[in-house]
Amino acid sequence: MAWDFETDPDFQRELDWVERFTREEIEPLDHLLGVPYDVTAPDFVRLVRPLQAQVRARGLWACHLGPELGGQGYGQVKLALLNEIIGRARFGPVVFGCQAPDSGNAEILARYGTAEQKARYLAPLLNNEIVSCFSMTEPQGGADPLLIETSAVLDGGEWVIDGEKWFASNARYAGFLIVMARTDPEAEPHKAMSMFIVPCETPGWEILRNSGYGSGEPTHAYLRFSGLRVPGDHMLGNPGEGFAVAQTRLGGGRVHHAMRTIAKARRAFEHMCERAVSRITQGERLAAKQMVQDKIADSWIELEQFRLLVLRTAWLIDRHGDYRKVRRDIAAVKAAMPKLLHDIAGRALHIHGSLGLSDEMPFMHWVTESYFLALADGPTEIHKVTVARQLLREVEPASELFPDYHVPKLRAAALARYGEAAQE
């Protein structure tokens, strides 16, 4: 029987190094630099590149990828233990070569890309020489990919793309975009879409505007494609495989977001606890007040519950090697994630009073980010529906008017089994 909550000592030493490195070297960057995706900015080159070199020398670069791509090929459990640390800092993922959406886009290219595509796009992406954009959502469709209207039509060996995309991640900094478009309007919905690589130097697309959320810099673009032409060999996978290609990145992306959310929630919890033992009001520390104790107890319990759910889901992915077989658990993690960050960050904000409400503390941004997490990669409601459907699929309906667990039935069955012995 294997049932263990301990980390291998050798890997724990790596995690201890990552913990110190993140707190001492990476977290300060959040107060000095802008967005982690402007990889050619002088300050990024000056401050981030040396830290990335240390990570590479330690053998911890892009650990989600296999050795053939320069990573460690870590399973999801190891990635969970790593990400719940580096997620503390906004620049943590980029320093370790595993930032979204590039990590997911790299997985797509690694699985579906041709040798030429990998050489031109995957290699510089893995080296963080460039960043990428994932462009799937559309303004009229929102979370429903079946409503995608952007079209791609084959013309003389080139694909001609027309349409609009919404909240395209980091398009303003990207070296290329991965774009989903409808290639066969007559096919059944899940086989009508295909995925394309669009080099950003290609004429025929524009950023109508960039949107941000909370206090974050606007980096999510509203795009328009007008007769944009890409070579015929810039499709990822086969025609009609757009949804299959997208799922390559979405399953892992959702659970990796959850891993990093643990880090933010833990930071909020740490700040809450320090405030509680430091602040005195009405003659006693906040820590002595039962309503504060209630918030701290709830936060710790919820954080530990969520962490165990994430680790169990990671273990299941490692065991099955297929995101589809763990769809229910990934959906559960995705549904629970925003509420965890919202509630813990909100409590920390409240205990800090007006200081917590101000932009001198990170809590308002984390509360806002919780709503982003509730919408990115599919809204919470969709994932709850997935969980419920997967669970109910395994349940047999009652064959009679009254169910087998009806108490009179159970009593009659018990008497039939133990009747004589019970009367003695």
Side-chain angles (χ1 to χ4, degrees):
M1 176 178 180
W3 189 258
D4 198 348
F5 289 96
E6 292 183 342
T7 303
D8 176 81
D10 290 339
F11 189 59
Q12 185 59 56
R13 280 190 286 274
E14 294 300 307
L15 294 177
D16 292 342
W17 180 85
V18 172
E19 176 85 23
R20 291 191 300 272
F21 186 70
T22 300
R23 288 179 182 268
E24 296 172 7
E25 305 294 339
I26 304 177
E27 285 186 28
L29 297 181
D30 290 357
H31 307 290
L32 300 175
L33 300 178
V35 297
Y37 303 99
D38 191 1
V39 296
T40 60
D43 284 344
F44 183 99
V45 174
R46 180 172 60 88
L47 297 175
V48 177
R49 293 302 187 201
L51 299 184
Q52 291 177 327
Q54 291 186 56
V55 169
R56 290 175 188 272
R58 191 84 186 187
L60 293 171
W61 178 260
C63 290
H64 59 292
L65 296 171
E68 72 282 1
L69 295 174
Q72 293 295 316
Y74 280 173
Q76 295 299 320
V77 171
K78 277 191 169 183
L79 289 174
L81 296 171
L82 181 65
N83 275 294
E84 69 177 19
I85 299 173
I86 65 177
R88 293 179 58 89
R90 189 158 41 91
F91 276 79
V94 77
V95 168
F96 280 81
C98 59
Q99 70 281 357
D102 300 329
S103 57
N105 289 346
E107 289 189 65
I108 286 177
L109 284 164
R111 179 168 178 179
Y112 290 97
T114 64
E116 293 77 12
Q117 290 171 348
K118 290 176 182 178
R120 180 174 175 183
Y121 301 106
L122 180 57
L125 185 66
L126 294 180
N127 289 326
N128 195 228
E129 297 167 12
I130 59 172
V131 296
S132 60
C133 169
F134 187 67
S135 182
M136 179 174 172
T137 304
E138 297 188 1
Q140 81 290 339
D144 187 353
L146 298 181
L147 297 180
I148 285 177
E149 296 177 356
T150 297
S151 64
V153 178
L154 194 59
D155 178 38
E158 293 182 319
W159 290 98
V160 182
I161 300 177
D162 290 280
E164 294 184 348
K165 293 292 182 180
W166 171 244
F167 237 58
S169 45
N170 308 310
R172 66 191 300 178
Y173 300 115
F176 67 91
L177 300 84
I178 292 182
V179 179
M180 182 181 275
R182 188 178 293 272
T183 50
D184 187 351
E186 304 300 322
E188 60 179 278
H190 284 92
K191 295 183 179 179
M193 314 290 180
S194 302
M195 203 75 85
F196 297 90
I197 302 172
V198 175
C200 282
E201 65 272 17
T202 307
W205 73 284
E206 60 180 319
I207 296 177
L208 299 179
R209 66 175 180 271
N210 286 297
S211 296
Y213 66 94
S215 58
E217 181 177 331
T219 61
H220 292 79
Y222 182 13
L223 305 179
R224 177 174 293 156
F225 299 92
S226 304
L228 180 144
R229 304 180 78 91
V230 293
D233 62 1
H234 272 48
M235 179 181 287
L236 284 159
N238 297 315
E241 288 188 341
F243 280 94
V245 174
Q247 286 303 319
T248 299
R249 73 184 309 285
L250 290 175
R254 287 163 182 152
V255 76
H256 293 163
H257 275 310
M259 297 168 184
R260 291 189 282 266
T261 297
I262 292 170
K264 293 186 180 71
R266 184 174 286 142
R267 279 189 70 186
F269 179 71
E270 291 169 355
H271 299 338
M272 186 189 336
C273 290
E274 182 175 324
R275 183 69 168 183
V277 300
S278 304
R279 186 74 166 179
I280 295 175
T281 185
Q282 295 181 338
E284 63 181 0
R285 297 185 188 278
L286 289 175
K289 297 184 179 299
Q290 289 183 337
M291 294 188 73
V292 172
Q293 293 170 356
D294 177 77
K295 290 179 172 59
I296 290 172
D298 281 348
S299 297
W300 185 84
I301 291 167
E302 291 163 10
L303 180 56
E304 291 301 309
Q305 288 174 332
F306 181 71
R307 181 173 185 257
L308 288 173
L309 177 62
V310 172
L311 285 169
R312 178 181 177 276
T313 301
W315 176 80
L316 286 170
I317 297 170
D318 285 346
R319 183 181 183 189
H320 294 291
D322 187 344
Y323 291 126
R324 292 171 297 181
K325 293 183 179 179
V326 196
R327 188 181 177 197
R328 177 198 63 191
D329 304 85
I330 293 173
V333 162
K334 175 64 170 67
M337 169 173 53
K339 186 176 188 302
L340 175 89
L341 183 59
H342 176 276
D343 289 355
I344 296 180
R347 293 174 192 135
L349 183 157
H350 193 71
I351 287 176
H352 280 76
S354 58
L355 178 64
L357 193 64
S358 75
D359 58 10
E360 295 180 11
M361 286 288 164
F363 307 124
M364 278 296 292
H365 178 74
W366 288 339
V367 169
T368 304
E369 186 169 349
S370 74
Y371 288 96
F372 175 83
L373 294 173
L375 293 170
D377 295 339
T380 299
E381 293 83 355
I382 287 178
H383 294 287
K384 286 186 175 182
V385 167
T386 297
V387 173
R389 283 178 174 171
Q390 296 266 328
L391 290 169
L392 294 174
R393 225 176 258 166
E394 301 169 3
V395 180
E396 292 291 331
S399 58
E400 300 177 2
L401 176 60
F402 293 102
D404 291 340
Y405 51 85
H406 189 216
V407 171
K409 273 189 178 183
L410 296 175
R411 185 181 297 115
L415 285 172
R417 176 69 177 83
Y418 293 109
E420 294 182 4
Q423 292 172 6
E424 291 179 0

